[in-house]
């Protein structure tokens, strides 16, 4: 099982962690929501839990809880800029469908 980040995503997270002045990485998870069932959750982590899986990518830790890992295995986290918009993009090979607005997905 593995979770990776592109260099652009790792650089963005590293800058954000440096700006916060603390943190061991970023947590990637899923929650039940939306019209397709699941949505991504991304938050800073100051302390890992014993049950967490930690994946290091380009010098940044990506922390995953055990329930989310099943849905996220093989995911690559990217950070993209398109015109005036910027944000994270989740390249998840497990996704079977997404809602029309792109806010949720199903597996």
């Amino acid at each position: 099982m593995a979770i990776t980040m592109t260099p652009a995503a790792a650089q963005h997270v590293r800058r954000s962690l440096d700006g916060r002045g603390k943190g061991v990485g970023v947590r990637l998870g899923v929650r039940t929501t939306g019209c397709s069932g699941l949505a991504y959750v991304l938050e800073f982590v100051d302390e890992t839990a014993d049950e967490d899986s930690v994946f290091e990518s380009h010098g940044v830790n990506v922390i995953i809880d055990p329930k989310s890992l099943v849905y996220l295995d093989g995911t690559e986290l990217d950070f993209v800029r398109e015109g005036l918009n910027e944000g994270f993009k989740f390249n998840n090979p497990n996704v079977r469908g997404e809602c029309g607005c792109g806010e949720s997905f199903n597996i």
Side-chain angles (χ1 to χ4, degrees):
M1 297 194 154
I3 309 295
T4 59
M5 300 177 92
T6 64
Q11 181 181 16
H12 183 76
V13 170
R14 194 175 309 108
R15 272 197 315 257
S16 297
L17 287 169
D18 290 347
R20 286 180 80 230
K22 64 179 179 176
V24 296
V26 65
R27 178 178 303 279
L28 175 58
V30 295
R31 64 181 165 91
T32 305
T33 189
C35 39
S36 286
L38 298 168
Y40 296 105
V41 177
L42 201 57
E43 61 189 7
F44 294 112
V45 175
D46 294 330
E47 232 177 83
T48 60
D50 290 338
E51 66 272 7
D52 286 336
S53 294
V54 179
F55 301 92
E56 187 276 330
S57 187
H58 300 285
V60 175
N61 289 327
V62 181
I63 296 114
I64 312 287
D65 67 88
K67 292 179 183 176
S68 296
L69 187 55
V70 176
Y71 303 107
L72 298 172
D73 184 29
T75 297
E76 177 190 60
L77 182 60
D78 194 6
F79 188 78
V80 296
R81 289 190 171 111
E82 296 172 349
L84 297 176
N85 298 320
E86 64 181 23
F88 286 101
K89 180 179 177 186
F90 305 92
N91 300 314
N92 185 342
N94 305 303
V95 170
R96 299 290 174 248
E98 296 179 328
C99 67
C101 64
E103 294 296 318
S104 62
F105 64 97
N106 62 49
I107 303 234

